[in-house]
Amino acid sequence: FKYMKLEGKWEIWANEKKATLEWRNDEGNGPINEGRLRFKVRQSIDVIAKWLENEECEKRNSVLELYQIGPTGKDGKKIRYTARKLYWPHRNRDYLMEEVRRESKKAPGGFIFVGRSIYSDEIFSTKKSSRLGFVRSHFKIKGYMLFPDKDNPAMTEVIFIVNVDMNGWFAHSKLLFGIKWGLKQ
């Protein structure tokens, strides 16, 4: 893993929280496509979990479209479509993800939110995505792990993980951008 010291406006918060950002190439060689951000916040796990679930599909930050397709399954799985505005020189991205929430088996009181890209011409084809001016992103994994802080029950440890192919150029800058908007979610 490569470690970096964060710089800039939003990074001030991350540095104050002693956040750790790690990134690497998941195959060991090539462009960076995987990142993990770890930090603690003064908020209960329940509040953070509810916000992450976003049952109302509230559009946040650079989200242009967000909606759930079909009902949540008995196993807790749901499918969501998201379209995001990116800034020049990048084209806007969209993705279709299968998401699930689980209680942590290793950390009592903790939660794991995890998702991965799926492809379905019946639900939302990549051709339709392209006609609308989007480039389809591919997430091998995107998720959050929430754990209660052992020393301070008012604090929650948050770990954000992403492995994404943004399909396009500037893979490194897009991964960092992906981590930043993951923080904002």
Side-chain angles (χ1 to χ4, degrees), residues 20-160:
T20 304
L21 174 61
E22 304 164 326
W23 49 19
R24 69 186 188 120
N25 176 277
D26 67 343
E27 295 178 4
N29 189 13
I32 293 170
N33 65 352
E34 187 170 274
R36 178 174 64 186
L37 181 66
R38 172 179 269 178
F39 58 95
K40 292 183 182 181
V41 294
R42 184 174 302 281
Q43 190 60 264
S44 75
I45 284 181
D46 293 334
V47 170
I48 296 170
K50 184 174 177 156
W51 189 77
L52 286 173
E53 279 188 298
N54 192 9
E55 290 294 333
E56 295 78 33
C57 292
E58 173 189 350
K59 293 179 191 173
R60 301 174 180 156
N61 301 303
S62 60
V63 171
L64 299 170
E65 293 289 332
L66 172 64
Y67 51 86
Q68 183 170 326
I69 299 168
T72 300
K74 292 179 183 177
D75 57 359
K77 289 182 183 176
K78 56 182 138 193
I79 297 173
R80 287 192 177 172
Y81 171 80
T82 305
R84 267 189 198 280
K85 173 130 182 83
L86 297 187
Y87 300 99
W88 186 90
H90 309 296
R91 291 187 51 204
N92 294 340
R93 298 298 193 263
D94 72 347
Y95 45 94
L96 190 61
M97 294 197 51
E98 178 181 63
E99 302 173 343
V100 68
R101 170 190 167 170
R102 297 278 190 260
E103 290 188 33
S104 173
K105 293 179 181 177
K106 294 189 177 197
F111 291 101
I112 297 171
F113 293 84
V114 66
R116 65 182 178 98
S117 287
I118 59 170
Y119 292 90
S120 170
D121 286 339
E122 294 86 35
I123 296 174
F124 204 103
S125 72
T126 53
K127 284 183 182 180
K128 179 178 178 182
S129 177
S130 181
R131 278 195 311 270
L132 294 173
F134 294 104
V135 174
R136 181 65 52 94
S137 294
H138 173 77
F139 287 89
K140 287 185 181 178
I141 187 170
K142 176 185 168 203
Y144 294 86
M145 294 183 283
L146 309 177
F147 304 108
D149 188 315
K150 297 173 188 167
D151 302 323
N152 185 347
M155 299 288 284
T156 299
E157 181 177 8
V158 179
I159 301 172
F160 173 68

